[in-house]
Amino acid sequence: MPSWVDGQPLEWLSVKDRGLAYGDGLFETIAVSGGIPALLERHLARLGDGCARLLIDLDLAVVRAELLAFSRELGDGVAKLIVTRGDGLRGYAPPQAGSPRRILQGSAKPAYPAGNAELGVRLFPCATRLAEQPLLAGIKHLNRLEQVLARAEWQDAEHAEGLMLDASGRVIEGVFSNLFLVQDGVLLTPDLSRCGVAGVMRAELLAQVQAQGIRCDVRDIGVDALLQADEVFLCNSLYGVWPVHSLQWHQWSVGPLTRKLQVIACDLLDS
Amino acid sequence: MPSWVDGQPLEWLSVKDRGLAYGDGLFETIAVSGGIPALLERHLARLGDGCARLLIDLDLAVVRAELLAFSRELGDGVAKLIVTRGDGLRGYAPPQAGSPRRILQGSAKPAYPAGNAELGVRLFPCATRLAEQPLLAGIKHLNRLEQVLARAEWQDAEHAEGLMLDASGRVIEGVFSNLFLVQDGVLLTPDLSRCGVAGVMRAELLAQVQAQGIRCDVRDIGVDALLQADEVFLCNSLYGVWPVHSLQWHQWSVGPLTRKLQVIACDLLDS
């Protein structure tokens, strides 16, 4: 599998990199099919937003060109892009004239059970809560210990994903997915202004349903609202859409809006 | 300056390291004088606590031996130790049989102005707040974007450190220091069970004052209590103790307990 650092084939980077030292950077995980990166412009837009928030001066045109070339070499699989602030001296202060580093890693598409998409998945109720930090909410930065701890809570194959709440008990997302629910024909997804990762597939699905005139709302969602929902599903930019069929003792049926959006997501990833 | 990876001289590491991918690891920054690492056992104790919290299976005896050998090679300076969970595949799930990685980097002692210790420092009032995450509070993990953002708030030389509050407005720490205050002869320092880094010098000073019968208390501290304090000082394991003389319009005198603890810290770092 290919591995590039700053556009050159390389599997190593300097121990002085601030991505290692402080998680001082961002990443994107991009599905690649037939040499084409899916949802490229949305990935670049989120990356650009993250760089603006973290004050990382990245040339997105260079990143776009590299992602296209890397995807051609990869063919089919997953391209993971990490952007860091580059090397640093000791100390938190960002270098005045920074030189961001670009790391690209290829891997095979994950082999999820076909039943996840067809029949739906069971959610693990994670005890790890997401801290509320508006300065970092929404962007896909490299400070991911909360996700590591949450994902370490279960090892069984029965649970395909975990449900994460924030410190106040609001429903936020899966460990590696965004979460949607349908209530009385309205599509709802949690507000991510305090914590959570605003996924590229989430953004794309929100844009598609708005274009189709389906009512949708981004807002705070409690556990009660989740349990009372007519449909619940997860999404991300690798697997598309997975219906959720259960959480602890609670069960949901796979509904029509979930299936409709699943087809849309599938088309986006395969095209 | 020496740089070791897993005990071998090396300045590079795999792009698959989970320290880079997720900030999945811990670090220690250790003053080294005459080939001897200062406060070694306290650094190892905090590292061990962090590994236990993050479920990283690290052999501390190996780390101790490496730190001693590295310090002999370094002579005088700063030894930065980074421990990561090691390489990983894509995905947050920690590998079942992990192989933690040890990275050691040497650097010169930071050249802080002598006036910081003698006359005291001025604090910058950071707008960046610390999120409350009890699962990660106290340990020195690699998820440090809050500190990066806070330290980026000022570039002038007038402010030697920044004051960080938590999301609820409690006084917690400096960006790279712990904070103490003295009120009516009692030494106070913020409780760090919700956020903040429990510094090695903080722990050592608390132990020393308790041994000397000086009253001290670890508790929640508001901004009002800080402003009303008789003395305020900062500490860390590189510079020892810096008195704080001002924050915005507020000023403090350098007091006797600050000077007493400064001497103790100085002895700990020079011995």
Side-chain angles (χ1 to χ4, degrees), chain A residues 211-264:
Chain A
Q212 297 193 19
I214 296 167
R215 285 175 59 203
C216 64
D217 197 13
V218 177
R219 67 185 194 201
D220 288 342
I221 293 175
V223 172
D224 282 356
L226 174 68
L227 298 182
Q228 291 160 17
D230 301 320
E231 306 177 31
V232 179
F233 67 89
L234 300 163
C235 70
N236 81 13
S237 59
L238 292 188
Y239 65 69
V241 165
W242 287 343
V244 174
H245 64 58
S246 59
L247 168 69
Q248 294 177 299
W249 53 87
H250 200 86
Q251 296 196 317
W252 294 272
S253 301
V254 182
L257 192 48
T258 299
R259 288 298 187 205
K260 182 185 177 90
L261 293 174
Q262 191 171 40
V263 170
I264 290 173

Side-chain angles (χ1 to χ4, degrees), chain A residues 11-13 15 21-23 90 92-93 96 105 110 129 133 141-146 151 155 175 238, chain B residues 11-15 21-23 90 92-93 96 105 110 129 133 141-146 151 155 175:
Chain A
E11 296 185 358
W12 305 86
L13 89 165
V15 293
Y22 306 128
R90 207 179 39 68
Y92 294 120
Q96 289 293 313
Q105 298 169 258
R129 298 287 185 100
Q133 175 49 279
H141 56 70
L142 295 174
N143 280 201
R144 292 293 157 209
L145 277 172
E146 290 177 329
R151 187 58 190 83
Q155 282 82 40
V175 177
L238 292 188
Chain B
E11 297 185 359
W12 304 87
L13 88 164
S14 165
V15 294
Y22 306 128
R90 208 179 39 69
Y92 294 120
Q96 289 293 311
Q105 299 169 257
R129 298 287 186 99
Q133 176 49 279
H141 56 70
L142 296 174
N143 280 200
R144 291 294 157 208
L145 278 172
E146 290 176 330
R151 186 59 190 82
Q155 282 81 42
V175 177

Side-chain angles (χ1 to χ4, degrees), chain A residues 20-66:
Chain A
L20 171 70
Y22 306 128
D24 192 5
L26 301 148
F27 70 113
E28 297 289 332
T29 308
I30 305 170
V32 177
S33 295
I36 308 290
L39 297 167
L40 177 61
E41 296 310 317
R42 286 208 179 271
H43 282 290
L44 289 171
R46 180 174 61 180
L47 180 65
D49 180 39
C51 285
R53 300 264 293 279
L54 298 186
L55 309 171
I56 293 177
D57 185 21
L58 182 70
D59 187 338
L60 284 177
V62 170
V63 173
R64 179 185 285 109
E66 270 181 22

Side-chain angles (χ1 to χ4, degrees), chain B residues 99-189:
Chain B
S99 179
R101 178 166 286 137
R102 310 170 306 278
I103 300 149
L104 276 162
Q105 299 169 257
S107 62
K109 288 221 170 138
Y112 295 119
N116 288 6
E118 293 167 12
L119 308 173
V121 301
R122 179 168 173 77
L123 284 179
F124 183 87
C126 294
T128 303
R129 298 287 186 99
L130 292 162
E132 297 170 28
Q133 176 49 279
L135 295 176
L136 299 174
I139 63 176
K140 203 167 170 86
H141 56 70
L142 296 174
N143 280 200
R144 291 294 157 208
L145 278 172
E146 290 176 330
Q147 281 74 22
V148 171
L149 291 179
R151 186 59 190 82
E153 289 187 45
W154 81 95
Q155 282 81 42
D156 62 76
E158 185 193 355
H159 299 91
E161 242 287 27
L163 174 67
M164 298 196 75
L165 311 180
D166 70 12
S168 303
R170 300 179 197 95
V171 170
I172 302 297
E173 62 191 5
V175 177
F176 56 93
S177 312
N178 285 119
L179 184 135
F180 283 83
L181 50 92
V182 181
Q183 182 69 56
D184 301 325
V186 181
L187 187 70
L188 302 173
T189 194

